[in-house]
């Protein structure tokens, strides 16, 4: 029997990627531990543990030595599961305790020095040593487990160096400010995690289940597939399901970001977390709470936050080199002027220590992941799901968007566009055609019946079964006689079609429409034209893309005539009559000009979605939409393509702002340090301030309001 088991823990105290790196490096050194996955965003750890070689206690002990707290198993869903429970207040955690301890020790030293000024240096030295001890212990734990150049190492060296040169008071202040900075990082990280917690809070905790004719209130976790639940007006939908009885308007904004309520009746799909409007609904549960739409969205966002963008990976690599180089620079500043120019040793050692504090990489390391996490969470709130930082970064660089036609730029079903009456008025022609087609299942026939219903027409009765000639016509006997609905070719064989009528048919077909002819006996009664119409927002979506400098092309297997008609209406370039292989070749050709996004319905477009630089699936929360592409538009609107590209661009801009803030502040304070302007406490305040500024700037993305406010992200 295998002794290897998967161990999952929730870990408190992780605020940035460097925290996760410390834990990962430490656990790599424990025998029997493999497949280490540390998520600071979810505060979770997952490892494969060989219990014959090591124990859970050894892992937890190592984590505690690094200054973090394992608080129990991480349930499925990572941070989302943890967020659903009451967390301990951060003000009761270790970092808050360090702030209180260092502040209290410094205050005692200050008061004592005021009473005994002759012992001032020794009092502050004692305060600094007491304060720096917890930091040194964490620095030592990090160093012996594979992370020698940690923030704790820099802080310990700087504090001890300050004591050696007699700057005891500043050493104590530096440790206190460092503790305050770490606590502020914890607060900021909690703000970022609250985005996922907000999604989790959308799902109700209880449901009204119908069983054996009785209603009972149960936790949503107890709902099973096939259970029947009652959703009263104003209640949230407890899990995914289908309407059995009732009609109501349902607000799906928590899922799709769409604020307009959606009418729901028998057979309609309901999504967990949606808000029922004005009618009671009786529904059948189709997914358990652990696998409903909200749960899957949360899981996808959590996974996405752990998928690093190329820029984030570069920053990580850079920071690994940056920190030791910064320590070397600080050493050179401390020793070169005294050795070569005979400068004062104490002065330049002091400046070297200040440089060491300025060099702390926290702000730089957190600049990218903080922005990406906020961008992903902000998109999820608006029905824009992006599967990871790599996809988010690529979307912002897209030069061309390739659209599938059917179901993407168009609605995916034919609609009646024209009715041409020759014998009677339009209503009579349409009603007769619908009476013939209502007994068939052909998509064109269904569209004719739907249009007649939309116009509230009374359909004449038909007698007997309809006679169907596949691909040609359908005939039924009405009270007025036999009526046939068929193709123009069949009509030409069965009746006389005038030149003028043939011209009308050709004109309609040139517009990409399918024409059927209605025959009353052997006489042409009229024409009905149908077309898979563009989505209402398709033209506006293409216009917005062009305004953003992004090209748009429609790739379709449909005939050139239909493709050109739709393309001309939308203002999009067209490549038609493409077989699947040709569609892939077209995408490859477009990729030579820059990054390409492919937008499809997530079903038959899977190869094209995979071939493109980034695939975007249309779909209102369907499995395919969530699983096949790099991103999904839950609103099922073409305009979401422009939204998601704009969100990516705003996020990338935020990242570069963060990098500029982090490196810019360090450059300024490095110059002031060399010229003797910066003190030790100002140096650590600069690093803490940069970290707080970078995090706060990233959190602005949580208030992103869309393209109309792209450059006006609320402060």
């Amino acid at each position: 029997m295998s002794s290897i088991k998967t161990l999952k823990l929730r870990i408190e105290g992780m605020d940035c990627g460097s925290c996760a790196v410390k834990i990962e490096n430490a656990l790599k050194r424990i025998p029997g531990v493999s497949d280490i996955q540390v998520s600071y965003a979810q505060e979770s750890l997952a490892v494969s543990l060989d219990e014959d070689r090591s124990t859970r206690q050894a892992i937890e002990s190592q984590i505690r030595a690094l200054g973090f707290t394992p608080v129990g198993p991480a349930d499925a869903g990572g941070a989302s599961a943890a967020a659903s429970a009451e967390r301990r207040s951060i003000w009761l955690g270790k970092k808050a305790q360090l702030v209180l301890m260092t502040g209290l020790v410094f205050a005692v030293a200050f008061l004592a020095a005021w009473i005994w000024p002759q012992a001032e240096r020794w009092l502050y030295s004692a305060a600094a040593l007491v304060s720096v001890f917890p930091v040194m212990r964490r620095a030592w734990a990090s160093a012996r487990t594979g992370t020698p150049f940690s923030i704790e190492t820099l802080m310990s060296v700087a504090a001890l160096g300050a004591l050696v040169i007699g700057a005891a008071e500043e050493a104590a202040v530096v440790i206190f400010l460092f503790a305050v900075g770490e606590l502020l990082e914890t607060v900021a990280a909690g703000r970022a995690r609250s985005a996922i917690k907000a999604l989790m809070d959308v799902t109700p905790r209880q449901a009204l289940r119908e069983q054996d004719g009785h209603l009972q209130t149960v936790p949503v976790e107890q709902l099973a597939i096939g259970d029947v639940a009652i959703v009263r007006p104003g209640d949230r939908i407890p899990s995914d399901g289908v309407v059995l009885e009732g009609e109501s308007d349902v607000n799906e904004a928590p899922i799709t970001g769409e604020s307009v309520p959606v009418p729901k009746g028998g057979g309609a799909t309901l999504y967990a977390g949606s808000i029922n409007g004005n009618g009671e609904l009786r529904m059948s549960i189709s997914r358990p709470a652990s696998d409903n739409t909200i749960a899957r969205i949360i899981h996808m966002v959590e996974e996405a936050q752990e998928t690093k963008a190329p820029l984030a990976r570069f920053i990580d690599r850079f920071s690994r080199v940056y920190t030791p180089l910064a320590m070397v620079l600080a050493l050179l500043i401390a020793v070169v002027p005294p050795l070569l120019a005979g400068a004062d040793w104490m002065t330049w050692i002091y400046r070297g220590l200040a440089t060491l504090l300025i060099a702390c990489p926290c702000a730089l390391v957190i600049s990218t992941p903080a922005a990406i996490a906020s961008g992903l969470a902000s998109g999820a709130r608006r029905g824009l799901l992006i599967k990871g930082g790599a996809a988010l970064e690529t979307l912002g660089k897209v030069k061309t968007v390739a659209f599938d036609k059917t179901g993407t730029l168009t609605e995916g079903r034919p609609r009646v566009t024209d009715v041409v009456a020759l014998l009677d008025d339009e209503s009579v022609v349409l009603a007769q055609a619908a009476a013939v087609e209502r007994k068939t299942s052909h998509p064109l026939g269904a569209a004719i019946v739907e249009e007649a219903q939309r116009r509230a027409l009374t359909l004449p009765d038909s007698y007997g079964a309809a006679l169907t000639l596949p691909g040609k016509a359908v005939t039924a006997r009405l009270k007025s006689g036999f009526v046939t609905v068929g193709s123009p070719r069949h009509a030409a064989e069965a009746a006389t079609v005038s030149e003028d009528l043939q011209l009308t048919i050709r004109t309609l077909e040139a517009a990409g429409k399918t024409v059927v002819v209605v025959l009353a006996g052997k006489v042409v009664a009229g024409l009905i034209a149908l077309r898979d119409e563009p989505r209402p927002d398709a033209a506006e979506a293409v216009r917005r893309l062009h305004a953003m400098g992004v090209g748009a092309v429609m790739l379709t297997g449909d005939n050139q005539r239909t493709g050109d008609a739709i393309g001309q209406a939308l203002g999009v370039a067209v490549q038609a009559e493409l077989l699947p292989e040709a569609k892939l070749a077209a995408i490859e050709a477009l990729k030579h000009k820059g990054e390409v996004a492919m937008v499809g319905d997530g079903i038959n477009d899977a190869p094209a979605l995979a071939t493109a630089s980034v695939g975007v699936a249309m779909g209102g929360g369907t499995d395919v939409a969530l699983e096949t592409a790099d991103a999904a538009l839950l609103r099922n609107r073409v305009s979401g393509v422009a939204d998601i590209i704009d969100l990516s661009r705003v996020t990338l801009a935020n990242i570069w702002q963060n990098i500029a803030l982090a490196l810019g502040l360090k450059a300024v304070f490095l110059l002031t340090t060399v010229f003797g302007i910066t003190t030790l406490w100002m140096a650590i305040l600069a690093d803490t301030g940069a970290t707080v500024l970078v995090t706060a700037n990233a959190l602005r993305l949580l208030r992103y309001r869309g393209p109309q406010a792209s450059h006006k992200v609320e402060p």
Side-chain angles (χ1 to χ4, degrees):
M1 184 176 177
S2 175
S3 61
I4 299 179
K5 295 184 178 180
T6 299
L7 174 64
K8 295 183 178 181
L9 296 173
R10 185 163 69 87
I11 302 173
E12 288 186 346
M14 290 194 293
D15 302 324
C16 64
S18 60
C19 299
V21 170
K22 290 177 190 175
I23 294 175
E24 184 174 350
N25 289 341
L27 298 187
K28 284 178 181 177
R29 301 193 172 204
I30 299 178
V33 176
S34 60
D35 299 328
I36 304 167
Q37 297 180 356
V38 188
S39 167
Y40 87 87
Q42 301 176 38
E43 291 188 296
S44 66
L45 164 69
V47 300
S48 293
L49 173 63
D50 186 344
E51 294 183 323
D52 290 339
R53 301 177 62 194
S54 191
T55 64
R56 169 175 172 164
Q57 288 71 27
I59 292 175
E60 292 186 353
S61 176
Q62 194 73 281
I63 293 171
R64 288 192 180 93
L66 293 171
F68 306 105
T69 307
V71 293
D75 300 324
S80 61
S84 65
E86 287 296 325
R87 291 177 176 270
R88 293 189 302 169
S89 170
I90 59 172
W91 306 107
L92 300 177
K94 287 185 176 181
K95 293 186 177 181
Q97 292 172 5
L98 183 61
V99 170
L100 292 174
M101 186 273 285
T102 55
L104 181 61
V105 168
F106 179 78
V108 170
F110 177 82
L111 290 174
W114 182 67
I115 298 172
W116 298 291
Q118 64 276 17
E120 178 180 14
R121 178 177 178 180
W122 300 108
L123 289 169
Y124 281 120
S125 295
L129 286 172
V130 170
S131 298
V132 81
F133 179 74
V135 180
M136 291 175 58
R137 187 170 59 185
R138 285 163 53 188
W140 170 246
S142 296
R144 67 182 180 82
T145 54
T147 312
F149 300 110
S150 64
I151 177 65
E152 289 83 6
T153 301
L154 299 182
M155 206 57 50
S156 299
V157 171
L160 294 176
L163 286 175
V164 170
I165 64 173
E169 182 178 359
E170 290 192 68
V173 172
V174 161
I175 297 300
F176 172 69
L177 291 176
F178 167 69
V180 171
E182 285 213 314
L183 182 61
L184 290 175
E185 286 182 23
T186 302
V187 173
R191 284 284 306 279
R193 292 186 186 110
S194 67
I196 291 183
K197 185 178 184 299
L199 284 175
M200 191 69 186
D201 289 342
V202 164
T203 306
R205 298 284 180 263
Q206 295 181 319
L208 194 60
R209 183 172 64 186
E210 179 182 292
Q211 195 168 29
D212 300 327
H214 299 285
L215 297 180
Q216 57 181 162
T217 301
V218 298
V220 291
E221 292 79 11
Q222 292 185 14
L223 292 176
I225 296 175
D227 280 356
V228 175
I230 303 299
V231 187
R232 295 166 298 194
D235 288 351
R236 288 186 182 272
I237 308 300
S239 194
D240 292 0
V242 177
V243 176
L244 296 177
E245 295 178 10
E247 293 184 355
S248 184
D249 292 330
V250 176
N251 181 359
E252 295 183 342
I255 314 300
T256 66
E258 175 57 68
S259 59
V260 179
V262 180
K264 299 286 184 178
T269 301
L270 297 173
Y271 300 119
S274 302
I275 304 169
N276 188 21
N278 49 13
E280 183 172 286
L281 296 175
R282 185 169 178 264
M283 67 176 292
S284 174
I285 303 298
S286 60
R287 286 184 179 273
S290 60
D291 191 38
N292 62 37
T293 300
I294 286 289
R296 285 180 289 142
I297 290 174
I298 292 171
H299 181 67
M300 200 177 86
V301 173
E302 289 175 341
E303 284 190 332
Q305 288 183 338
E306 301 313 311
T307 306
K308 290 188 176 180
L311 185 57
R313 290 195 293 270
F314 170 76
I315 293 296
D316 282 350
R317 291 194 300 270
F318 176 72
S319 65
R320 294 191 194 108
V321 178
Y322 165 86
T323 304
L325 285 179
M327 294 185 74
V328 171
L329 175 63
L331 179 63
L332 292 175
I333 289 176
V335 302
V336 169
L339 288 176
L340 298 184
D344 179 67
W345 276 99
M346 292 301 175
T347 298
W348 285 97
I349 290 176
Y350 184 94
R351 294 178 183 179
L353 294 175
T355 302
L356 199 63
L357 295 177
I358 291 169
C360 292
C362 292
L364 183 63
V365 169
I366 204 172
S367 60
T368 302
I372 287 176
S374 295
L376 292 172
S378 182
R381 287 179 175 180
R382 289 159 182 80
L384 309 173
L385 297 185
I386 306 170
K387 294 185 176 180
L392 181 65
E393 185 173 328
T394 303
L395 281 164
K397 301 174 182 177
V398 162
K399 299 296 182 184
T400 307
V401 176
F403 291 97
D404 176 49
K405 179 180 78 71
T406 305
T408 302
L409 285 175
T410 66
E411 295 181 337
R413 55 177 180 168
R415 292 183 180 276
V416 173
T417 59
D418 304 87
V419 179
V420 179
L422 301 178
L423 298 181
D424 296 291
D425 60 24
E426 289 185 9
S427 297
V428 174
V429 173
L430 185 60
Q432 288 179 334
V436 173
E437 293 284 6
R438 65 182 167 187
K439 293 185 178 181
T440 70
S441 58
H442 194 281
L444 296 181
I448 291 172
V449 173
E450 181 182 343
E451 179 65 14
Q453 292 173 341
R454 189 186 69 80
R455 298 190 186 189
L457 301 181
T458 301
L459 305 188
D461 294 330
S462 61
Y463 304 94
L467 174 64
T468 301
L469 297 176
K472 293 184 177 181
V474 179
T475 301
R477 185 167 69 88
L478 308 182
K479 186 176 182 180
S480 60
F482 285 96
V483 174
T484 300
V485 180
S487 67
R489 178 177 295 181
H490 174 79
E493 296 172 355
T496 301
V497 180
S498 67
E499 286 294 330
D500 289 344
L501 192 58
Q502 290 180 24
L503 177 61
T504 301
I505 292 172
R506 288 195 294 270
T507 301
L508 291 170
E509 289 179 337
K513 299 174 182 180
T514 299
V515 179
V516 296
V517 181
V518 182
L519 299 174
K522 298 294 184 179
V523 179
V524 178
L527 307 175
I528 298 176
L530 305 96
R531 187 172 67 180
D532 181 10
E533 287 291 88
R535 290 177 182 268
D537 64 328
E540 175 65 14
V542 172
R543 186 197 65 76
R544 283 175 54 194
L545 287 174
H546 288 160
M548 296 167 68
V550 178
V553 60
M554 182 175 72
L555 306 180
T556 178
D558 212 337
N559 63 74
Q560 190 71 49
R561 182 183 63 197
T562 301
D564 287 342
I566 298 293
Q568 185 176 7
L570 299 180
V572 63
V574 177
Q575 294 185 37
E577 300 181 4
L578 298 178
L579 295 174
E581 296 81 0
K583 187 178 287 189
L584 298 184
I587 292 174
E588 290 289 357
L590 290 171
K591 287 171 71 174
H592 290 303
K593 303 176 184 178
E595 304 286 3
V596 177
M598 175 67 196
V599 186
D601 61 14
I603 302 173
N604 55 357
D605 296 308
L609 292 171
T611 302
S613 307
V614 58
V616 181
M618 304 286 291
T622 63
D623 287 339
V624 173
L626 291 174
E627 294 169 7
T628 58
D630 302 301
L633 308 177
L634 293 189
R635 286 190 181 185
N636 211 26
R637 290 184 176 181
V638 188
S639 57
V641 178
D643 293 340
I644 208 167
I645 290 175
D646 186 77
L647 173 62
S648 173
R649 290 182 174 182
V650 171
T651 303
L652 288 176
N654 189 280
I655 289 172
W656 287 114
Q657 291 168 7
N658 286 347
I659 293 173
L661 276 172
L663 295 181
L665 279 174
K666 291 183 184 300
V668 169
F669 276 86
L670 179 61
L671 288 175
T672 59
T673 298
V674 171
F675 288 103
I677 300 172
T678 304
T679 61
L680 289 181
W681 68 267
M682 289 173 63
I684 187 59
L685 196 60
D687 178 72
T688 299
T691 302
V692 172
L693 283 175
V694 162
T695 305
N697 190 47
L699 290 176
R700 291 191 309 133
L701 288 170
L702 295 175
R703 299 187 179 185
Y704 170 77
R705 291 291 179 264
Q708 67 276 10
S710 295
H711 306 292
K712 301 177 183 178
V713 181
E714 296 178 14

